[in-house]
Amino acid sequence: MGDAAGTFTTDDLVALLADAGEVDAGVEVLEAIRAHDQASAQTMRLQARLFAAEAPDAGRRREVLLRLRDGRVDGLAREGALLEACVALRLLNREFPEEPMWAEKLSRIEDLLLPLPNLHGDARRADVDALIALGRTREAWELLREMVADSPNELELSRRADALRALLFEPMHTRPYREGDEEPARLTDPDEALAKAEQDVAEGDLRGALRRLDNLAPSRADAARWVRYRDALDELVSVLEADDGLDQGSNEEETARIGGAEVVDLKIRAGALREAREDAVRRLATHPGPTEESLLLRRISALDELLGGPTRLALVAAPSPAVAAASIEVEIVRDPPGTQEDDDLTRRRVSLPSAPPSTPDGVVEVKRRRIVRLGEG
């Protein structure tokens, strides 16, 4: 039997369940294995081992099930064995009810196994469901990211993509065992590490990108960009740390209830960074309150850094009876290291023309320019 979490297989799980006397759970795992691979040559041998198993006492059963607490179940789920992982998590939740993380993990995986709402018979939604059922979670993640890009207002797609991202990339911070298993290979060349980090970002793994840059010192020539890139990753990884708290509901009702900034963060967690930026820009044009405005500007600055996009936004506000169009140009700039011009990094400087020009119809057109200065460190 594979001892390390990284080499633990579904066959090993059946053997462990046999040792624990959990015959019914072992049969469930066998059925899931057959669903993935009907031609598996191991199923008859594993079935025989299960039915030959003897029921141990409660102490022995608990001792055997303790082995599942070291990351093995997470490894199975990450490899796509979601049904098998659910069986193991149900046992852990039953045997160790004082540890709430097992119920939490079980709920997340069971939610992933639910079919996507598909009232209109969308073939791609059916494909996502099929890929997840077959354990091809990485392919399902990539397809969902494409779908979020095509339908950025479908929040259910963003939620499902967020759940898959957490499964594929996030360390389970609530788990009571080794914390370093998911660490990417350490690179000593800063340029290579940055290139790998950019690849991680393209694949949706923001945490992995940030870990690659830890404890590396770039050359003096690259220091400014390095700091900006790492700060941008810090900003977006902080989004991953937050609980989404989003309930089911229609897209229109949910958007109104949770607000534009929360939708932007949901899309960041779903790996739809360009769509998140577009949403943030649109939300900024609606003149939100100062707290939300500050948050949106930070998100846009970080997304621009990772996406290599512009740092100047041209926003057009909705017309009012007195003003035909109020266009706002927001320029996000960073002070070079050592600049002491202003201790308030979010202070805006707004300049308005003393005599706003009028249109031929006599309607005033107002233009505003706003500069937001962000310090380097």
Side-chain angles (χ1 to χ4, degrees):
M1 179 183 297
D3 291 327
T7 60
F8 192 70
T9 67
T10 52
D11 289 359
D12 294 329
L13 177 59
V14 174
L16 185 148
L17 295 176
D19 290 344
E22 297 287 353
V23 176
D24 291 343
V27 170
E28 283 189 69
V29 173
L30 276 179
E31 290 174 352
I33 292 173
R34 290 193 184 103
H36 294 314
D37 183 9
Q38 296 181 355
S40 175
Q42 301 292 332
T43 53
M44 292 301 295
R45 177 183 62 80
L46 293 170
Q47 182 173 305
R49 178 166 182 177
L50 266 179
F51 293 144
E54 297 182 359
D57 59 40
R60 170 60 180 165
R61 183 184 68 247
R62 187 180 178 91
E63 179 185 344
V64 173
L65 293 178
L66 273 170
R67 302 177 200 163
L68 294 176
R69 299 171 72 253
D70 71 348
R72 301 172 195 224
V73 178
D74 287 345
L76 290 179
R78 220 171 278 264
E79 293 300 316
L82 301 183
L83 292 169
E84 296 90 327
C86 282
V87 173
L89 288 170
R90 280 195 289 271
L91 291 176
L92 288 168
N93 189 42
R94 182 202 71 192
E95 201 67 30
F96 307 101
E98 69 280 6
E99 298 175 347
M101 74 282 293
W102 309 123
E104 178 189 340
K105 293 181 181 185
L106 176 61
S107 176
R108 289 182 180 179
I109 296 179
E110 287 179 337
D111 286 347
L112 273 176
L113 290 167
L114 292 174
L116 280 167
N118 195 4
L119 297 178
H120 303 292
D122 184 351
R124 291 200 297 177
R125 289 180 180 239
D127 287 344
V128 168
D129 293 339
L131 288 170
I132 291 175
L134 291 171
R136 293 157 61 181
T137 48
R138 179 71 69 143
E139 294 173 62
W141 155 253
E142 295 296 343
L143 179 55
L144 270 171
R145 291 180 72 197
E146 292 177 12
M147 294 167 68
V148 171
D150 293 342
S151 304
N153 294 324
E154 293 285 343
L155 298 186
E156 177 59 37
L157 297 178
S158 295
R159 271 194 299 268
R160 190 61 58 93
D162 178 24
L164 272 176
R165 173 200 56 76
L167 175 72
L168 291 170
F169 300 124
E170 282 199 11
M172 299 294 189
H173 60 278
T174 56
R175 67 189 188 185
Y177 43 83
R178 292 186 299 269
E179 286 293 342
D181 291 344
E182 291 92 355
E183 288 289 327
R186 291 286 184 182
L187 300 173
T188 57
D189 180 0
D191 292 337
E192 184 181 359
L194 187 57
K196 290 287 188 181
E198 290 172 339
Q199 182 180 341
D200 289 334
V201 169
E203 294 174 355
D205 186 6
L206 299 178
R207 289 182 187 276
L210 184 59
R211 288 195 297 268
R212 287 193 192 278
L213 303 186
D214 284 345
N215 304 318
L216 285 179
S219 64
R220 183 180 297 274
D222 294 334
R225 178 167 185 258
W226 181 279
V227 170
R228 289 198 309 269
Y229 200 85
R230 190 167 56 193
D231 286 351
L233 284 170
D234 270 328
E235 173 73 20
L236 299 189
V237 168
S238 73
V239 176
L240 308 185
E241 301 282 356
D243 293 329
D244 55 7
L246 303 183
D247 299 322
Q248 300 293 330
S250 70
N251 292 314
E252 294 81 5
E253 293 174 350
E254 188 165 348
T255 301
R257 182 171 67 253
I258 66 177
E262 288 86 349
V263 173
V264 169
D265 285 355
L266 175 58
K267 291 180 180 179
I268 290 172
R269 291 196 297 271
L273 301 187
R274 294 189 184 280
E275 290 71 27
R277 184 191 182 280
E278 291 170 5
D279 262 7
V281 171
R282 283 194 294 268
R283 177 61 183 166
L284 198 59
T286 67
H287 307 293
T291 299
E292 184 175 359
E293 182 184 73
S294 175
L295 183 147
L296 289 169
L297 286 168
R298 293 203 318 269
R299 300 287 193 264
I300 292 169
S301 178
L303 288 164
D304 280 345
E305 186 64 42
L306 298 190
L307 295 171
T311 56
R312 179 173 294 184
L313 316 176
L315 311 179
V316 179
S320 67
V323 181
S327 63
I328 307 170
E329 185 181 80
V330 179
E331 184 177 0
I332 302 173
V333 298
R334 293 180 179 272
D335 290 328
T339 300
Q340 301 294 329
E341 177 183 299
D342 198 341
D343 291 335
D344 183 355
L345 299 180
T346 61
R347 181 172 296 172
R348 284 111 175 114
R349 293 187 296 186
V350 181
S351 59
L352 294 175
S354 56
S358 298
T359 65
D361 297 328
V363 179
V364 175
E365 180 179 359
V366 179
K367 292 186 177 181
R368 293 186 290 174
R369 176 179 175 84
R370 185 160 42 192
I371 298 177
V372 180
R373 307 192 71 85
L374 300 180
E376 283 293 334

